[in-house]
Amino acid sequence: GTKKKVACPGLGLFYTVLSAFLFSVASLFLKKIEDVHSVEVSAFRCVFQMAFVLPGLIYYKTGFLGPKGKRIFLFFRGFLGSAAMILLYYAFQVMPLADATVITFSSPVFTSLLAWIFLKEKYSLWDLLFTLFAITGVILIARPPFLFGSNVTGIEGSYADHLKGTIAAITSTVSAASTFVILRKVGKSVHYFLSIWYYAVIGLIGCIIALFVMNEWRLPHCGKDRVLLILIGLLGLGGQIFLTKALQIEKAGPVSIMKTMDVVFAFILQILFLNHIPTWWTVGGALCVVASSSGTAIRKWRQSLKKANQNEI
């Protein structure tokens, strides 16, 4: 008989690190863009996603609307997912790269909280502790004046922009967590290509409307900005592909833990290419948030292993 091909050990974790690197480089390029609004960058990202997903929809014959009973969930998944992307891109443009990246890593904690509220999933004292850790980390990064005084150091530009970026990053994180809850609700009844399709189409429509309302729609004049826009789209698409491949061949727990490399890459790229040294407050906040998200991932991983062992028995 034919021998079964042995899977390469650690390949899923390698894909996760590669995905984290591509996403971090895309964020760095976003910081380097000089004359394009974050909403317009999001619109270009949606166009790239649509171009990638469209052949998949045709090949798998999923249709463009999805099952009737799931369309409302797909709509909200697309709306909240695209809103998360736009808000995150805005945060990247107005606050330090590492700060915005760290805040987004509180997403697993918010996912557990929202799943408890809407899906009636178990929420233990450990989950509450991880939530408090994440909130502490965000506070250390935001450094509100009523706690830290009026002389806040280590930020880019004005504190008003830093505060706006922090609020945008937190709202983006909650929106992303909401999309995860919706995807759990939908389950495997909808092909993941269709989910990405809704995300891209609704995001593009929302971006175009917002750009005309704000009167910010314009093609970048500088050739460098145009190249960076294309690279952001390609890198973001590549990051999604490798993350999807990682989740296909590796358990979600190890992938979630390894994805904390996003934070490491963000710190390294910020220091090397943006000449911005993170403050100790940011480092402390990063440790709190990474500990919180890693703890949540490890706990969920152990629960899934325990459940699998019980099913085998």
Side-chain angles (χ1 to χ4, degrees), residues 53 57 60-75 77-78 182-199:
V53 171
L57 293 178
Y60 289 108
K61 300 178 181 179
T62 61
F64 296 96
L65 297 177
K68 286 186 177 180
K70 306 294 182 181
R71 290 175 187 174
I72 185 67
F73 294 111
L74 286 169
F75 171 81
R77 182 268 183 271
I182 291 172
L183 289 173
R184 283 188 193 178
K185 177 71 175 178
V186 172
K188 296 181 179 179
S189 60
V190 176
H191 197 281
Y192 69 92
F193 268 162
L194 195 59
S195 174
I196 299 174
W197 174 256
Y198 266 81
Y199 168 83

Side-chain angles (χ1 to χ4, degrees), residues 213-287:
V213 170
M214 297 185 298
N215 196 26
E216 289 283 353
W217 177 263
R218 60 183 181 276
L219 287 175
H221 301 293
C222 177
K224 184 188 77 170
D225 283 352
R226 296 180 186 181
V227 173
L228 290 176
L229 276 173
I230 295 172
L231 289 176
I232 288 170
L234 292 175
L235 289 169
L237 185 58
Q240 279 196 333
I241 292 171
F242 281 113
L243 184 58
T244 302
K245 288 178 71 68
L247 289 169
Q248 286 176 340
I249 61 177
E250 185 61 79
K251 291 183 173 64
V255 170
S256 299
I257 297 168
M258 191 59 70
K259 204 175 181 306
T260 55
M261 287 299 296
D262 273 358
V263 176
V264 177
F265 287 133
F267 274 100
I268 293 173
L269 294 175
Q270 177 175 298
I271 294 170
L272 291 180
F273 297 101
L274 301 177
N275 297 318
H276 188 92
I277 307 298
T279 64
W280 286 111
W281 293 114
T282 297
V283 174
L287 291 175

Side-chain angles (χ1 to χ4, degrees), residues 25 47 64 91-92 98 113 121 136 144 161 166 187 197 201 226 232-233 256 266 296 310-311:
V25 175
V47 170
F64 296 96
F92 278 140
L113 183 61
E121 293 186 4
T136 301
D161 283 341
T166 301
W197 174 256
V201 171
R226 296 180 186 181
I232 288 170
S256 299
T296 302
Q310 288 176 347
N311 289 336

Side-chain angles (χ1 to χ4, degrees), residues 13 250-257 294-308:
L13 299 182
E250 185 61 79
K251 291 183 173 64
V255 170
S256 299
I257 297 168
S294 298
T296 302
I298 292 171
R299 188 168 177 277
K300 298 294 184 185
W301 181 26
R302 290 184 63 183
Q303 286 177 342
S304 64
L305 290 177
K306 184 177 179 181
K307 188 176 180 180

